[in-house]
Amino acid sequence: MIEMKSVYKTYKRKDVTTEALKGIDLKVEEGDIFGVIGYSGAGKSTLVRLVNYLERPTDGEVIVDGQVLNHLSDSQLRAMKKQIGMIFQHFNLLESKTIFDNVAIPLVLAKKPKEEIKQRVMELLDFVGLREKAKSYPRELSGGQKQRVGIARALASNPKILLCDEATSALDPQTTQSILQLLKRVNQEYNITIMIITHEMSVIQEVCNRVAVMEAGEIIEEGSVLDVFGHPKHPTTKNFVKTVIHNSIPESVKRSLKKTGNSKVFRVEVKGEVASEPIVHQVMKAHDIEVNILFANMTEIQETTLVIMYLQIAGEASAIEKTVQLLKDKGAGVEEVVE
Amino acid sequence: MFETVITLDQFLQASIDTLYMVGMSLLIGSLVGIPLGIALVVTRPGGILENKIFYSILNPIINIVRSLPFIILMVAIIPFTRMIVGTSIGTNAAIVPLIIFISPFIARLVENSLLEVNPGIIEAAESMGATPFQIIWHFLLPEAFGSLILSITTATIGLIGATAMAGTVGGGGVGDLAIVYGYQRFDTFAMVTTVIILVIFVQIIQSTGNALARKARKE
């Protein structure tokens, strides 16, 4: 649905050149809720603006719905933009217009007949749960309600893609939850591909199925949310994952850990169906070993359970080896922790 | 109490003349100034129709005209005024310099009003695939409307001051009365009355402008 091929973006102001994006390769499939996470200045805002060509790439290709945007004329680009809705951190609603008129704007621009506009706008306001606010002005609404209006407006022209630029960053955690649930419904009920830009890992955890981690204008890690949460590779990714999943041994446990000659510490990761099996019990029964659970954490991502455990296994070297093999056979990810 | 030679009719006529000069020059000045103000905003660097050449010509021209005091502008363009209306004396002749005076002023005020519009609104408009004209018409102008009303109010009051100066060269209106009778004939009554009339005009215009702006901002 969205594809970028070695995209570069540099800004030149006088003698200062800033490289905002350095060779981005990206693919977002139809139906994805694709998250892009990074600290501020990582280039993620620039990245999302390339999709609807609010920013033009300095080099490289941006392909949306099979069309190479670089080759389109201004009027073709405007037609393309109507296929892409966008919502913003600060909502960007027109203060001078009612909620109804705000949602109606894309339809008015498309010169749709009045009756059709009225029907469509009320349908959208129903969808976001703000029918009774049609005649209110944005200033009379809370932040969460404003973002609902923003979503309704972005959906007015029946887009195939919805871009969310830090859409929940100005909202409190509870309102964020309700907006994320609404985005999930947008994805499922209208089959709209969603791209979310955020600096909050909890947002990714809540709704995304795929994630790209950005730093200094590059994508440093990309994959399914389950994989990236389970196996973060880059230090920055690890930092992000840490904000939502505690996945390291607590310091106090580490300190009291007795390093005996015949024990080893493993990081064991189990997901999905396997997580509901009593695997620790099974391996203890199968081999002559002692298992000490140093740390365990269970998280739900994309309706899949992810369990991360740190196990200290004591016993004969061969028994430990066999235990590890058994865990792997059962579908667990096992890594020895060398401190 | 005061001795005066001016009749009530003269006051009425002078007030009508002032309103006529202000009204006409405001109307034509807005027709010129508002598009110029919009042009300044959209062609400036980073604007939706960025045009370096156009902007770097228009911007200094407006500054040059704005730097001339009205009284000098009025005298300096007498040949031009004569060319347009056939005379350099009277109400119609005063309107020509008034328009030239007020148009760039309105352009600057409009520019400021439009620049106050949240850039996020423009970005939202662009993300919807709005044409530059649609951005101006459906986003910029409605969002700046309250501020634009206040700008026009300020321009109107500026014009009242300028029409009074036009009186010194026989432009007619309340200013003319104040100069010819109040100043040159030491008619205190005429002077006080014209001041009161001008104050009333300004008060009415400012409060009307404020009320309209509040309404436009849905306060």
Side-chain angles (χ1 to χ4, degrees):
Chain A
M1 201 63 174
I2 305 169
E3 203 179 342
M4 294 192 190
K5 287 183 182 166
S6 55
V7 166
Y8 288 82
K9 176 75 188 179
T10 46
Y11 294 102
K12 271 183 198 150
R13 289 221 173 78
K14 286 173 186 167
D15 297 329
V16 189
T17 326
T18 324
E19 282 189 301
L21 297 176
K22 305 169 201 165
I24 298 286
D25 286 288
L26 187 73
K27 206 166 185 185
V28 180
E29 302 292 343
E30 191 176 343
D32 272 352
I33 303 186
F34 194 98
V36 178
I37 190 163
Y39 295 114
S40 42
K44 51 196 197 302
S45 273
T46 309
L47 181 80
V48 75
R49 277 165 177 71
L50 287 169
V51 179
N52 59 359
Y53 243 51
L54 289 180
E55 299 272 4
R56 284 161 193 265
T58 314
D59 196 19
E61 277 188 342
V62 181
I63 304 157
V64 175
D65 200 18
Q67 293 196 68
V68 185
L69 298 191
N70 311 48
H71 301 159
L72 300 184
S73 69
D74 281 357
S75 65
Q76 283 172 315
L77 271 175
R78 280 197 287 270
M80 191 71 216
K81 284 177 186 175
K82 293 188 200 306
Q83 305 280 312
I84 307 171
M86 188 170 190
I87 58 174
F88 305 87
Q89 179 173 7
H90 298 295
F91 326 119
N92 296 347
L93 303 178
L94 279 89
E95 297 288 336
S96 59
K97 291 189 195 280
T98 60
I99 299 313
F100 181 96
D101 288 336
N102 264 287
V103 177
I105 270 203
L107 304 168
V108 172
L109 296 181
K111 300 187 177 71
K112 297 271 190 243
K114 269 215 168 96
E115 269 310 303
E116 191 187 324
I117 293 179
K118 197 175 172 207
Q119 198 192 333
R120 177 83 180 127
V121 171
M122 291 322 282
E123 183 187 311
L124 287 160
L125 286 178
D126 263 341
F127 178 73
V128 300
L130 287 175
R131 177 180 257 272
E132 74 284 8
K133 296 281 183 196
K135 291 193 174 104
S136 303
Y137 286 91
R139 78 180 58 199
E140 297 158 9
L141 268 54
S142 69
Q145 289 173 326
K146 284 184 194 175
Q147 197 56 287
R148 285 170 183 273
V149 177
I151 292 170
R153 179 176 71 176
L155 297 181
S157 56
N158 270 319
K160 292 178 183 161
I161 297 170
L162 178 64
L163 306 175
C164 310
D165 182 25
E166 297 278 6
T168 58
S169 300
L171 305 175
D172 62 59
Q174 212 176 345
T175 315
T176 296
Q177 278 298 319
S178 74
I179 293 296
L180 292 178
Q181 291 315 311
L182 182 60
L183 289 177
K184 245 185 196 171
R185 279 179 58 211
V186 168
N187 175 253
Q188 285 159 4
E189 291 178 29
Y190 291 95
N191 191 30
I192 292 174
T193 307
I194 300 183
M195 191 164 174
I196 293 179
I197 302 299
T198 183
H199 62 269
E200 295 168 306
M201 204 59 173
S202 55
V203 169
I204 307 277
Q205 179 187 12
E206 197 67 41
V207 288
C208 296
N209 65 330
R210 294 188 69 78
V211 62
V213 185
M214 280 190 80
E215 190 173 64
E218 284 173 291
I219 293 178
I220 52 173
E221 203 161 336
E222 201 220 309
S224 83
V225 169
L226 211 52
D227 285 344
V228 172
F229 273 66
H231 283 284
K233 291 182 193 79
H234 195 280
T236 303
T237 316
K238 285 181 182 165
N239 280 335
F240 274 122
V241 172
K242 245 188 249 169
T243 61
V244 288
I245 303 179
H246 299 287
N247 61 355
S248 54
I249 311 174
E251 283 303 314
S252 54
V253 176
K254 223 185 258 179
R255 258 181 272 124
S256 63
L257 197 59
K258 287 182 206 97
K259 277 275 177 191
T260 50
N262 61 349
S263 85
K264 281 177 177 174
V265 177
F266 295 93
R267 181 184 187 277
V268 180
E269 178 200 308
V270 186
K271 56 190 168 192
E273 290 290 294
V274 194
S276 56
E277 284 180 41
I279 55 164
V280 174
H281 181 73
Q282 287 169 0
V283 294
M284 277 172 74
K285 258 174 61 179
H287 301 285
D288 184 22
I289 49 159
E290 278 180 17
V291 176
N292 179 15
I293 301 176
L294 300 174
F295 170 89
N297 182 296
M298 194 178 199
T299 316
E300 198 177 22
I301 300 163
Q302 294 288 302
E303 283 141 35
T304 306
T305 317
L306 176 68
V307 179
I308 293 167
M309 289 181 287
Y310 282 87
L311 303 179
Q312 185 180 28
I313 303 176
E316 295 290 324
S318 63
I320 294 177
E321 210 169 285
K322 278 179 193 154
T323 306
V324 169
Q325 195 50 52
L326 182 59
L327 282 168
K328 280 182 180 163
D329 291 346
K330 287 192 174 293
V334 187
E335 267 172 71
E336 190 177 349
V337 181
V338 188
E339 295 291 328
Chain B
M1 204 172 119
F2 293 110
E3 295 208 2
T4 184
V5 293
I6 319 179
T7 62
L8 184 64
D9 275 357
Q10 272 177 298
F11 275 120
L12 274 178
Q13 187 57 47
S15 302
I16 290 167
D17 284 349
T18 296
L19 289 180
Y20 172 72
M21 283 189 287
V22 170
M24 281 303 283
S25 45
L26 183 68
L27 178 70
I28 301 173
S30 299
L31 289 177
V32 178
I34 294 174
L36 283 180
I38 294 171
L40 281 173
V41 172
V42 298
T43 61
R44 66 169 27 232
I48 53 172
L49 288 170
E50 184 175 334
N51 188 327
K52 276 201 182 102
I53 298 167
F54 183 86
Y55 182 78
S56 58
I57 293 172
L58 181 61
N59 196 38
I61 289 179
I62 286 175
N63 281 343
I64 290 166
V65 182
R66 288 264 292 125
S67 56
L68 293 178
F70 178 66
I71 198 132
I72 295 171
L73 177 82
M74 191 168 53
V75 179
I77 64 158
I78 281 177
F80 177 71
T81 307
R82 215 173 260 145
M83 201 176 81
I84 304 269
V85 289
T87 171
S88 62
I89 298 168
T91 321
N92 282 325
I95 288 175
V96 176
L98 283 173
I99 292 168
I100 294 177
F101 166 72
I102 207 65
S103 300
F105 186 42
I106 291 177
R108 277 285 176 242
L109 289 169
V110 167
E111 181 191 25
N112 287 336
S113 293
L114 296 181
L115 287 177
E116 281 167 24
V117 174
N118 170 12
I121 300 276
I122 314 296
E123 194 174 41
E126 286 184 321
S127 80
M128 291 173 205
T131 62
F133 175 79
Q134 285 176 327
I135 294 177
I136 295 167
W137 188 251
H138 291 284
F139 295 83
L140 265 183
L141 291 179
E143 281 298 278
F145 195 58
S147 171
L148 285 172
I149 290 173
L150 290 180
S151 293
I152 296 300
T153 308
T154 305
T156 313
I157 290 167
L159 268 177
I160 290 179
T163 55
M165 273 184 256
T168 58
V169 294
V174 181
D176 197 17
L177 274 190
I179 296 294
V180 174
Y181 292 90
Y183 178 63
Q184 286 165 353
R185 297 194 187 177
F186 308 106
D187 186 335
T188 313
F189 179 75
M191 191 55 107
V192 171
T193 315
T194 49
V195 168
I196 291 172
I197 291 175
L198 288 174
V199 168
I200 291 172
F201 276 173
V202 170
Q203 287 295 340
I204 291 173
I205 290 164
Q206 189 66 55
S207 8
T208 312
N210 288 348
L212 288 174
R214 261 200 305 278
K215 207 175 161 208
R217 286 173 173 170
K218 322 282 178 197
E219 276 170 12

